[in-house]
Amino acid sequence: MVKYEYIECKNPNGQHRMAYTQWGNPENKRVLICVHGFSRTGRDFDYLAAALQEKYRVICPDIVGRGKSDWLSNSSDYGLPLYISDMLTLIDKLNLSNIDWIGTSMGGLIGMFIASQKNSLINRLVINDIGPEIVPESLKRWATKYLSQGKPNFENLTQVTEYVREFYSDYGTLADIEWEHIAKNTVKKTSEGQYKLHYDLSIIDVFRVSKGELKPVDFWQTWSSVSSPVLLLHGKESYLLLPETIKKMQSIHPQITVKHFPCGHNPPLLSTDQIEAIADWLN
């Protein structure tokens, strides 16, 4: 059974706990941090962490508002600035150095910002299906997906599995056991014995209060400050990471390797080919 550990982090209105799991030898100086996507948890990296734990101390946090981490009383505190701050707190409190980083979607953006800082501790950066630019049409499609999901409750894990097969259909063709793994880490059990989504639905409030057209995400200046080698994973049918974005990323950053996979947003990092692509590049 995977054991959770916790650290205390600060937010504009107080403090909160961030949960994380660890794999491998805790004394290993070679550290790999794996950060999940917007509505996911660190348990998305179970397969990857199990494969890499012989060579790495693997640390997989649940970003605040998700999984086993605390929820915030003020939804306006959710966002990249706090997530970046929390990860820097984790790095500091665990006295980490010599870090490699794998970030899926939102986790890739967090890693990009930390890697862009002067004297960053990130040696190598794996970004899973996200880039420094998201055009308004793509951002609107992504936001609409979450705004339209409602507040589903499930009677059993079979219903949850049916839900994730549809909601995360961009992941592509997966084995039943892989869908079941995703399902188990999409919900938590209620006191009534039912299941509900593991995350605070308030993380979506930023889209509810936005008026007019969503502004494009433009982090090109941040990207230009990243100096570490980068592995970019791309779902061939992704609507968030577009081919023209990849080309521009390559023109700016000379040390970038791109791997394409037959799926949408984002490669779920459960299959052998995806895990081996990461392991081979890191090693």
Side-chain angles (χ1 to χ4, degrees), residues 4 6 16-20 35-42 61-72 75 77-80 82-83 86 106-107 110 142 146 185-188 197-204 206-207:
Y4 285 91
Y6 298 86
H16 59 273
R17 293 195 314 164
M18 182 168 68
Y20 64 96
V35 185
H36 58 79
F38 181 76
S39 64
R40 301 303 304 160
T41 78
D62 290 349
I63 296 298
V64 64
R66 289 92 167 162
K68 300 292 185 180
S69 292
D70 287 346
W71 293 8
L72 300 178
S75 64
D77 293 340
Y78 288 120
L80 281 176
L82 181 61
Y83 306 156
D86 283 358
M106 179 187 74
I110 297 170
W142 180 81
Y146 284 96
N185 297 298
T186 295
V187 293
K188 57 184 178 181
L197 297 174
H198 71 83
Y199 57 90
D200 183 359
L201 292 176
S202 294
I203 62 175
I204 308 163
V206 63
F207 301 111

Side-chain angles (χ1 to χ4, degrees), residues 7-262:
I7 61 164
E8 291 286 336
C9 300
K10 294 181 179 180
N11 63 68
N13 291 284
Q15 290 187 312
H16 59 273
R17 293 195 314 164
M18 182 168 68
Y20 64 96
T21 59
Q22 292 198 74
W23 301 69
N25 182 355
E27 302 300 321
N28 192 344
K29 298 300 183 183
R30 197 178 181 194
V31 178
L32 177 65
I33 295 181
C34 302
V35 185
H36 58 79
F38 181 76
S39 64
R40 301 303 304 160
T41 78
R43 299 300 304 277
D44 281 359
F45 298 101
D46 281 5
Y47 285 39
L48 180 70
L52 297 180
Q53 64 180 332
E54 292 299 319
K55 294 187 177 181
Y56 278 99
R57 174 189 181 186
V58 186
I59 300 173
C60 307
D62 290 349
I63 296 298
V64 64
R66 289 92 167 162
K68 300 292 185 180
S69 292
D70 287 346
W71 293 8
L72 300 178
S73 57
N74 190 335
S75 64
S76 64
D77 293 340
Y78 288 120
L80 281 176
L82 181 61
Y83 306 156
I84 294 166
S85 174
D86 283 358
M87 292 309 304
L88 291 173
T89 298
L90 176 71
I91 291 169
D92 180 62
K93 289 191 175 181
L94 296 185
N95 195 28
L96 302 178
S97 59
N98 193 32
I99 295 168
D100 290 339
W101 184 290
I102 299 175
T104 293
S105 196
M106 179 187 74
L109 292 179
I110 297 170
M112 188 191 307
F113 272 91
I114 294 177
S116 72
Q117 296 177 350
K118 188 176 181 180
N119 299 321
S120 170
L121 293 176
I122 294 179
N123 294 322
R124 286 171 291 183
L125 175 63
V126 180
I127 299 176
N128 186 12
D129 208 62
I130 200 70
E133 180 178 11
I134 305 175
V135 299
E137 295 79 10
S138 298
L139 193 59
K140 183 178 180 180
R141 176 178 169 181
W142 180 81
T144 301
K145 174 181 178 179
Y146 284 96
L147 291 172
S148 62
Q149 71 178 331
K151 299 180 179 180
N153 284 319
F154 310 94
E155 295 292 332
N156 50 55
L157 285 174
T158 299
Q159 290 183 0
V160 180
T161 303
E162 292 173 354
Y163 169 83
V164 300
R165 281 178 180 270
E166 180 178 355
F167 195 78
Y168 297 109
S169 60
D170 284 353
Y171 284 2
T173 303
L174 301 179
D176 288 346
I177 192 172
E178 294 168 341
W179 282 120
E180 290 166 7
H181 177 77
I182 294 169
K184 289 176 182 178
N185 297 298
T186 295
V187 293
K188 57 184 178 181
K189 210 164 189 177
T190 69
S191 57
E192 294 79 22
Q194 295 183 319
Y195 295 88
K196 66 177 183 179
L197 297 174
H198 71 83
Y199 57 90
D200 183 359
L201 292 176
S202 294
I203 62 175
I204 308 163
D205 283 354
V206 63
F207 301 111
R208 291 194 175 95
V209 301
S210 296
K211 296 181 180 180
E213 291 296 318
L214 293 170
K215 294 181 179 179
V217 170
D218 184 345
F219 297 140
W220 287 113
Q221 186 173 355
T222 300
W223 175 249
S224 66
S225 298
V226 174
S227 58
S228 55
V230 174
L231 171 63
L232 180 64
L233 309 178
H234 175 234
K236 291 181 180 179
E237 305 301 322
S238 177
Y239 64 90
L240 281 186
L241 179 59
L242 303 178
E244 51 266 35
T245 303
I246 295 175
K247 289 180 181 178
K248 187 173 179 180
M249 292 174 74
Q250 291 172 311
S251 69
I252 293 172
H253 197 303
Q255 290 182 290
I256 181 171
T257 301
V258 183
K259 295 287 186 180
H260 305 278
F261 296 99

